[in-house]
Amino acid sequence: MTASRSARGRRAAAQAGPLSRVTVDVDAEDQLVYKISCSACTVRGGKAWSAYRPGADNGYLAAMDRWSFHLVEKHPGAEAPCLEFLAEAQQRLHERREGGTPDDA
Ligand SMILES: [Zn+2]
């Protein structure tokens, strides 16, 4: 479990690119939680901007999508492998909005 968690974290970090800080946690229900923080941006209270999404595969995708949008919006010149999937991320965002899932602040 621990090994696969760190492997998942490394895979996510590689996709998210050099600006990101990726951690994979386990929540109270033993579910994986992906957290992608931005090393350049802070939000209210001085904390790093971050996307936090539960789920082994859903969490990975959802956090990575959120991160991709953050990169495009705040760091237009940044490069990251995940941006290759931006069109798919936008499609998923559209589908989630139809479903009414709340977004981050
Ligand atoms: Zn940022």
Side-chain angles (χ1 to χ4, degrees):
M1 187 60 193
T2 306
S4 84
R5 225 172 93 199
S6 57
R8 281 173 176 275
R10 280 195 300 275
R11 183 174 69 124
Q15 283 293 307
L19 268 175
S20 69
R21 296 285 178 271
V22 177
T23 53
V24 182
D25 292 328
V26 177
D27 72 7
E29 281 148 29
D30 235 16
Q31 176 171 232
L32 291 176
V33 182
Y34 278 89
K35 184 179 180 187
I36 305 179
S37 313
C38 183
S39 61
C41 295
T42 52
V43 293
R44 270 170 301 162
K47 291 199 298 187
W49 181 97
S50 65
Y52 194 77
R53 293 286 188 277
D57 295 321
N58 290 343
Y60 170 80
L61 268 181
M64 199 60 69
D65 289 356
R66 186 79 182 99
W67 169 247
S68 301
F69 299 138
H70 176 80
L71 279 180
V72 169
E73 191 183 331
K74 303 290 185 187
H75 311 285
E79 289 187 18
C82 63
L83 294 176
E84 198 182 313
F85 306 106
L86 191 61
E88 293 167 41
Q90 279 161 342
Q91 178 62 32
R92 281 191 292 266
L93 178 73
H94 183 68
E95 285 163 11
R96 272 200 293 277
R97 280 203 176 140
E98 306 267 289
T101 306
D103 205 353
D104 288 301

